[in-house]
Amino acid sequence: SIIPVEVSALDTVSTLLGVFASCTPELTVRTAANLAVLLRGAVLAAGSRTVTACLVAAWPWVARHWSVYENVGRRARLPMRAMARRLFLLILLLIPPNAVVELATDDTLARRFGLHVVGIGLHRDAVASSHAYRVLSPGHKWVTLAVVVRLPFCSRPFALPILSVLYCARKLTKRSRAKRLYRAHRTPPELALLMVRIVVRWAPERRFRLLGDGGYATHELAAALCPASPRETLRRVSLVSRFPMKAATYAPPPPYSGRGRRPVRGAKLPTPTQVAADPTTAWTRLRLRWYGGRRKKVGVCSGTGLWYRGGCPPTRVRWVVVRVPGSERGDEAFFSTDVAMSPREIVESFVRRWNIETTFQETRAHLGLETLRNRTPNSVRRSVPMLLALYSLLVVWFARHVRHPEACVRRTPWYPKSHVTFSDMLAAAREDILRELISLRPGVGAPCQKTGGRPAGHATTRHVT
């Protein structure tokens, strides 16, 4: 006999949906089912990632009115931090137990237009700007924290986002409601420190290393992420960032004489610019892992000292000056609050920070990062972080459930490719979801119609003989 059996959105043969279900045990059954439909649509859609575009792409699984899925981002109770924690624990399984967990942080601009969109501000557009010309564009500036993971079948590491916070500028656009999101103004380094404090509690036995560009090379962040940090949980975190070439460093303070205030610094040491210009400086030749998976021959010189500014405690740092033969950029300096790191480790760690820039570019190209059209506070807070988390979810699923990654490399006669990229992972995820649809018998289950054609509460059915 033929018996109709009710099938929920998570009762599926898709392994991708199985990984997604392991990240959302705190959700209600209905919210998890609605979010699973939007996940299928976000993976299968080829253009924008609005809710309606996702519903059109995932129409065989749509069982409710379209407004129900619109309300997932606006009204549903989504424990974003708990979901991010479970995703982080899945990513942590891809890193060796004794290795240092590298966290990359950076901010990206999602261009948005509209006077009534929550959180809109004027921010520097890094793509359209240059060193001599600054362009301001309206949009949302997101400060993102990602975990850098190296996979054996890829030529470069992946930066997998886990947390994202919206930065609200002090100067707002007219009629903008950005001031309703947060009571106090926080800079991007302060938001990055806030996210690091959250992530460090999730893995109390691991050591961390934060990788940031020059915008995160602040005295406050360096003093907070060092072995002498006032917070015990942050003593397991070190900071690697770009160092100003004219930064002043000092020797350790002399012994206290018993009169006056205790000294916090000693004599001023030569700056990186002075050390690099000194003809007596000994340069060390190294062959480092460079951008794009290549090897690069560079010359380095390093030094240590106390990095100090009035109002902040002095921080002992190791700085490294890198000189690339034939480069037009000139000498560049980097530093770490962990003075035990070698110059090679400092430079190669900073090079791995660039993978978060690649993550932003691939999220725009393949997941429609700048195509969202939400305006309410809840939906604005949740949409971009969930889209960035989808990037991490796809990479984690591919690394854990695809047995032969080399077979997924898509090659063309004009573009020979030897390693797996994110576009190959996305294509494999689409096949995994479509395999679920193919497994359903033709003519049985959901009717072939657009979204909104069935009444609310209508259950998808599968007939079993």
Side-chain angles (χ1 to χ4, degrees):
S1 59
I2 299 178
I3 306 175
V5 180
E6 184 176 351
V7 178
S8 65
L10 293 180
D11 183 15
T12 173
V13 297
S14 174
T15 56
L16 176 62
L17 269 294
V19 177
F20 167 74
S22 65
C23 296
T24 58
E26 293 85 2
L27 299 181
T28 62
V29 176
R30 180 169 296 184
T31 302
N34 296 336
L35 200 58
V37 174
L38 296 178
L39 172 67
R40 293 184 180 95
V43 174
L44 296 176
S48 63
R49 292 314 193 276
T50 59
V51 175
T52 52
C54 292
L55 294 180
V56 171
W59 64 266
W61 295 274
V62 176
R64 300 182 181 278
H65 193 263
W66 64 270
S67 60
V68 175
Y69 302 96
E70 285 278 359
N71 290 331
V72 171
R74 291 184 297 182
R75 301 178 181 178
R77 294 183 179 180
L78 299 178
M80 300 291 293
R81 187 176 300 181
M83 295 166 61
R85 177 180 177 272
R86 293 186 175 275
L87 178 60
F88 169 74
L89 295 179
L90 289 178
I91 297 174
L92 210 60
L93 297 177
L94 304 177
I95 304 176
N98 298 328
V100 178
V101 180
E102 291 186 336
L103 304 175
T105 182
D106 202 358
D107 49 78
T108 182
L109 177 63
R111 301 174 188 86
R112 290 292 304 273
F113 303 91
L115 297 177
H116 299 282
V117 180
V118 172
I120 286 290
L122 289 176
H123 307 283
R124 178 181 177 273
D125 195 336
V127 177
S129 302
S130 62
H131 292 285
Y133 186 67
R134 183 184 183 189
V135 177
L136 297 179
S137 298
H140 292 145
K141 184 176 181 179
W142 293 92
V143 182
T144 303
L145 187 69
V147 183
V148 180
V149 178
R150 180 175 293 277
L151 301 176
F153 47 83
C154 296
S155 60
R156 65 168 184 87
F158 277 82
L160 307 182
I162 52 176
L163 289 174
S164 298
V165 181
L166 180 62
Y167 166 76
C168 293
R170 293 183 183 271
K171 186 177 181 181
L172 307 176
T173 58
K174 296 182 179 179
R175 298 172 61 185
S176 175
R177 295 182 292 172
K179 60 179 66 176
R180 296 185 182 180
L181 288 178
Y182 307 108
R183 295 181 180 179
H185 176 267
R186 288 189 176 93
T187 61
E190 293 173 347
L191 294 175
L193 179 59
L194 182 64
M195 291 186 290
V196 169
R197 289 171 55 186
I198 295 174
V199 173
V200 168
R201 297 192 188 100
W202 294 344
E205 72 285 353
R206 303 299 292 263
R207 294 175 58 245
F208 295 86
R209 184 181 299 153
L210 181 65
L211 314 178
D213 61 357
Y216 297 86
T218 63
H219 292 79
E220 295 81 2
L221 193 58
L225 305 179
C226 67
S229 175
R231 293 182 176 272
E232 185 178 356
T233 56
L234 297 181
R235 295 174 186 173
R236 298 181 285 111
V237 189
S238 59
L239 173 65
V240 175
S241 182
R242 192 181 295 274
F243 199 59
M245 288 293 294
K246 297 183 179 181
T249 56
Y250 302 88
Y256 181 52
S257 62
R259 301 177 57 183
R261 191 183 66 172
R262 288 183 178 272
V264 296
R265 59 178 181 177
K268 185 177 180 180
L269 301 177
T271 63
T273 300
Q274 295 172 348
V275 174
D278 190 355
T280 62
T281 300
W283 293 83
T284 304
R285 298 291 179 180
L286 297 177
R287 185 179 178 86
L288 306 177
R289 291 182 177 178
W290 209 244
Y291 299 97
R294 299 177 293 118
R295 294 278 182 171
K296 192 76 172 180
K297 293 182 178 180
V298 301
V300 300
C301 65
S302 65
T304 59
L306 294 179
W307 196 31
Y308 174 76
R309 191 193 68 182
C312 295
T315 306
R316 191 164 180 244
V317 300
R318 173 180 289 274
W319 53 264
V320 180
V321 177
V322 179
R323 177 173 293 178
V324 181
S327 175
E328 300 178 355
R329 297 178 59 90
D331 298 339
E332 297 180 279
F334 312 96
F335 81 99
S336 172
T337 56
D338 184 6
V339 295
M341 293 182 63
S342 64
R344 175 188 296 272
E345 292 175 337
I346 294 176
V347 178
E348 290 183 346
S349 296
F350 185 83
V351 168
R352 287 191 290 270
R353 185 211 65 86
W354 183 258
N355 294 283
I356 193 173
E357 303 282 359
T358 306
T359 297
F360 294 148
Q361 190 273 336
E362 291 179 336
T363 308
R364 285 185 173 86
H366 302 292
L367 296 180
L369 180 62
E370 293 186 344
T371 61
L372 304 175
R373 292 295 178 265
N374 38 34
R375 300 189 303 175
T376 59
N378 277 341
S379 58
V380 167
R381 285 195 191 100
R382 297 169 174 177
S383 55
V384 170
M386 294 184 67
L387 203 58
L388 291 172
L390 176 60
Y391 180 94
S392 304
L393 187 70
L394 292 175
V395 176
V396 171
W397 164 81
F398 189 88
R400 296 187 61 183
H401 292 275
V402 177
R403 298 182 178 179
H404 304 286
E406 297 78 8
C408 299
V409 179
R410 299 182 301 168
R411 299 179 177 88
T412 57
W414 55 88
Y415 181 43
K417 187 168 56 173
S418 58
H419 294 86
V420 179
T421 60
F422 179 74
S423 60
D424 303 324
M425 298 180 182
L426 182 60
R430 288 171 175 170
E431 293 179 3
D432 182 75
I433 294 178
L434 292 177
R435 191 180 300 113
E436 171 192 356
L437 180 61
I438 296 174
S439 64
L440 297 177
R441 298 190 177 186
V444 180
C448 297
Q449 60 183 7
K450 296 286 184 175
T451 60
R454 278 167 284 174
H458 180 75
T460 306
T461 58
R462 182 188 302 173
H463 290 76
V464 180
T465 305

